[in-house]
Amino acid sequence: MPKSDLVLLAFDDEQILQLFDRALTAVPYHVAIARDSAALNQALQESSPTLVIIGQNFNGADALEIAAGLVERFPTLPVLLLLLEDSPEIVKKAIHIGVSDCLHAPLHIDEIMNTVENSIKRADRIGDWTRREVKRTTATLQKRVDELQKLDIIVEHIEDGVIILDEQSNILLINPAARRAFGLWQDDVAKGKPVSEVLPHPDLKILLNESINNPMPHNEITFEDGRVLSAQCTPIPQIGVAITMQDITYLKQIDRLKNDFVHTVSHDLRSPLTAILGYVDLLDRVGPVNNQQREFIQRVQNSVQSITTLVNDLLELGRIEAGFDTQKELVHLDGTIRYALETLSGQVSDKKLILHLNLPMEIPQMGGNPIRLRQMLDNLIGNAIKYTPEGGEITIDLEAQNDQVILRISDNGPGIPPVDLPHIFEKFYRASNVPKGVGGSGLGLAIVKSIVDNHQGRIWVDSLLGKGSTFTVVLPLYMLAGAQLA
Ligand code: ADP
């Protein structure tokens, strides 16, 4: 037993004090005596006892009350109660308070020594456990603080802009990259203020408006000096939203260069193709051609026709992507669908396809570019006809819901393999299961997607391999500000 252990005796009966003194100093413990509450307090302040024993008759004070106070102030200090009578009631109360143990009169030296020693050992074990727990908790907390500090440093230094908003759209955090992007040079001017006040950029406003209905909207933020940021809004539970932004100016420049190049090349190709087709058409008029020559002429015509379609599609895509179609007018989408079907009816009957048309009577007019919307329908319905085998079924549904029209074009054709689905709207992409002999450039859906984007709409496809595909287009009934009615 280490000599430094100090037992503080808090009672005033001289005889009992002597008995305890004898018993404890023999072990040996240091013994300190407090004969009243004031002396007890002073002893507790000036020394660090390993254990306190409080007598039931402690200078007229209530021993239970004193013990309760001690347990509360020093939770790891073992407190023993010395009872002059064997009262189960008091023992129960003492245990409830948190006293380590009770000693009863008549007292024996052995009993005193054992009880004190056991209480100290028990307290040591609890103390060790508490220390270990405190150490472990402190280490965990320190680790967490380190992680948070690292996270802070990362957010401060990454090249991507990060803005965190609370649920009322006030700025909680705006990192240096985001501040630089919006020309905010001071750190503290933005925090706590509404984002619409600090960053009144229309593209950012659109992105945040979209986040009300769409869980993860994505938008481009364009600045007057030509910079373009790709921005995404992500909801953060119990906080608000995070807006992350990446500078994609150089990608946009590359895309523009590529589009200019494709546009120029396509344009330059169109004239010679028209000339080839014209002269090939003239061949059988300038002299007799035999059957084999006629077949060759037909093949040349087919090939030139596919190249012409490809070149035309590329030119169209270039025009749509360049955003030349800002003029919009009120369009009856149901009427446009009927016109498109009139043109395609020959193909429908050639393939003996069954067509289901669900066009409600009362579809409101929508703001849009009629030529482009027709092109979108031609491509989507054309694909359904092209890919659905003979005798298959095509269903076209149109409905208006709130402020939008929803168009669904379904077929029971071959479907699209899951690996191809994410790429289906990319330029020149054709799925791996395109049936043999079914021609195409892989540009149709890219054109459709650009048209839908230009109308601030959304398009997606649901497809089951071997069962069929459904292309869904959602278009706002009314155009966003900026587009004009012709
Ligand atoms: P393509 O000129 O090849 O038809 P699109 O861009 O119109 O090009 O379509 C891209 C690809 O998407 C097609 O090659 C085809 O694999 C797939 N696809 C489009 N529509 C359908 C459909 N209704 N059923 C099955 N596959 C389709």
Side-chain angles (χ1 to χ4, degrees):
M1 193 62 54
K3 268 207 157 224
S4 56
D5 279 344
L6 172 72
V7 176
L8 179 57
L9 305 176
F11 35 87
D12 50 8
D13 186 312
E14 286 305 323
Q15 231 179 326
I16 300 176
L17 274 173
Q18 275 175 23
L19 177 69
F20 269 82
D21 196 27
R22 229 176 321 128
L24 295 172
T25 44
V27 175
Y29 289 115
H30 287 297
V31 172
I33 298 167
R35 289 189 170 79
D36 56 33
S37 302
L40 174 64
N41 273 336
Q42 196 179 350
L44 285 166
Q45 274 167 22
E46 288 173 359
S47 57
S48 306
T50 310
L51 178 131
V52 180
I53 306 174
I54 304 171
Q56 191 178 2
N57 277 347
F58 179 44
N59 203 24
D62 181 347
L64 278 174
E65 204 175 293
I66 294 176
L70 283 185
V71 170
E72 199 180 313
R73 274 168 67 200
F74 309 101
T76 52
L77 174 68
V79 176
L80 288 184
L81 211 57
L82 170 62
L83 302 176
L84 301 178
E85 49 183 313
D86 190 4
S87 158
E89 195 57 33
I90 298 181
V91 173
K92 219 163 109 186
K93 274 190 195 162
I95 289 169
H96 181 72
I97 284 168
V99 162
S100 304
D101 212 340
C102 293
L103 285 159
H104 302 271
L107 295 156
H108 299 284
I109 286 191
D110 286 355
E111 190 195 347
I112 295 173
M113 278 161 43
N114 283 342
T115 311
V116 167
E117 217 158 295
N118 286 341
S119 293
I120 289 177
K121 272 188 198 153
R122 208 166 39 238
D124 274 351
R125 280 201 298 275
I126 294 171
D128 282 351
W129 179 84
T130 312
R131 272 187 293 280
R132 273 200 308 276
E133 275 305 291
V134 168
K135 211 168 148 190
R136 207 168 55 83
T137 313
T138 312
T140 315
L141 281 176
Q142 188 56 47
K143 212 170 139 199
R144 195 82 196 96
V145 168
D146 289 350
E147 277 169 12
L148 284 175
Q149 269 170 352
K150 268 189 212 151
L151 203 66
D152 240 20
I153 294 170
I154 293 169
V155 172
E156 282 290 298
H157 286 84
I158 48 171
E159 275 303 302
D160 290 351
V162 178
I163 302 174
I164 312 284
L165 305 180
D166 66 15
E167 281 164 350
Q168 283 71 45
S169 294
N170 296 317
I171 297 177
L172 292 175
L173 180 151
I174 174 163
N175 78 340
R179 286 204 298 274
R180 273 197 306 277
F182 287 92
L184 284 179
W185 302 114
Q186 279 165 298
D187 176 12
D188 49 354
V189 289
K191 276 187 198 151
K193 293 191 186 150
V195 65
S196 54
E197 196 180 286
V198 181
L199 309 172
H201 195 295
D203 294 340
L204 190 61
K205 196 172 162 193
I206 293 173
L207 179 76
L208 288 168
N209 280 346
E210 273 188 35
S211 71
I212 297 168
N213 299 321
N214 179 355
M216 297 253 277
H218 191 267
N219 200 16
E220 282 179 7
I221 299 179
T222 312
F223 293 89
E224 275 174 9
D225 58 7
R227 280 174 307 126
V228 184
L229 301 183
S230 166
Q232 171 133 27
C233 228
T234 314
I236 308 182
Q238 286 155 24
I239 292 186
V241 289
I243 305 166
T244 43
M245 291 166 291
Q246 237 183 349
D247 194 329
I248 53 161
T249 313
Y250 76 101
L251 289 177
K252 282 278 162 189
Q253 277 161 353
I254 293 171
D255 205 39
R256 217 172 359 256
L257 283 176
K258 184 204 70 191
N259 286 344
D260 288 351
F261 173 76
V262 172
H263 187 260
T264 312
V265 171
S266 320
H267 213 269
D268 290 351
L269 274 175
R270 206 150 66 158
S271 315
L273 283 173
T274 316
I276 294 170
L277 213 51
Y279 283 115
V280 172
D281 281 347
L282 283 178
L283 276 178
D284 64 349
R285 295 197 207 160
V286 291
V289 285
N290 62 31
N291 283 346
Q292 196 169 27
Q293 286 167 330
R294 183 159 294 110
E295 191 199 321
F296 289 169
I297 289 171
Q298 184 62 51
R299 285 194 191 175
V300 172
Q301 280 172 327
N302 289 347
S303 300
V304 174
Q305 200 57 58
S306 344
I307 304 175
T308 310
T309 310
L310 174 69
V311 169
N312 283 342
D313 279 354
L314 277 172
L315 284 169
E316 285 293 276
L317 194 56
R319 278 193 209 104
I320 299 165
E321 283 183 342
F324 291 150
D325 300 324
T326 47
Q327 290 291 96
K328 304 240 163 64
E329 43 188 276
L330 288 173
V331 179
H332 286 280
L333 205 57
D334 47 339
T336 317
I337 294 175
R338 286 184 211 281
Y339 288 133
L341 284 173
E342 264 174 36
T343 320
L344 296 166
S345 63
Q347 296 176 37
V348 173
S349 51
D350 283 353
K351 287 185 84 173
K352 300 184 185 61
L353 297 170
I354 302 161
L355 188 68
H356 304 281
L357 199 55
N358 301 319
L359 305 181
M361 299 293 285
E362 290 295 314
I363 284 287
Q365 290 176 298
M366 61 163 290
N369 184 306
I371 297 171
R372 295 300 177 209
L373 290 173
R374 170 67 192 269
Q375 211 170 359
M376 171 191 88
L377 290 165
D378 283 347
N379 273 306
L380 290 175
I381 305 173
N383 274 352
I385 296 172
K386 184 162 76 166
Y387 291 106
T388 306
E390 265 197 37
E393 289 186 32
I394 295 174
T395 307
I396 301 175
D397 293 290
L398 185 69
E399 60 173 312
Q401 242 184 46
N402 304 326
D403 287 342
Q404 46 195 26
V405 273
I406 302 168
L407 166 73
R408 280 187 206 88
I409 298 173
S410 314
D411 62 60
N412 62 353
I416 299 165
V419 282
D420 295 315
L421 278 175
H423 308 286
I424 217 73
F425 295 101
E426 289 168 13
K427 288 171 204 161
F428 300 111
Y429 196 90
R430 303 199 78 204
S432 43
N433 68 334
V434 171
K436 253 201 172 145
V438 177
S441 61
L443 283 175
L445 288 182
I447 291 177
V448 169
K449 172 87 170 65
S450 289
I451 295 172
V452 173
D453 286 350
N454 275 3
H455 284 78
Q456 278 86 39
R458 283 178 292 137
I459 181 167
W460 67 91
V461 58
D462 298 294
S463 191
L464 262 184
L465 204 54
K467 298 261 183 241
S469 315
T470 298
F471 285 84
T472 308
V473 180
V474 179
L475 294 168
L477 271 176
Y478 307 103
M479 289 156 299
L480 291 176
Q484 315 142 20
L485 283 179

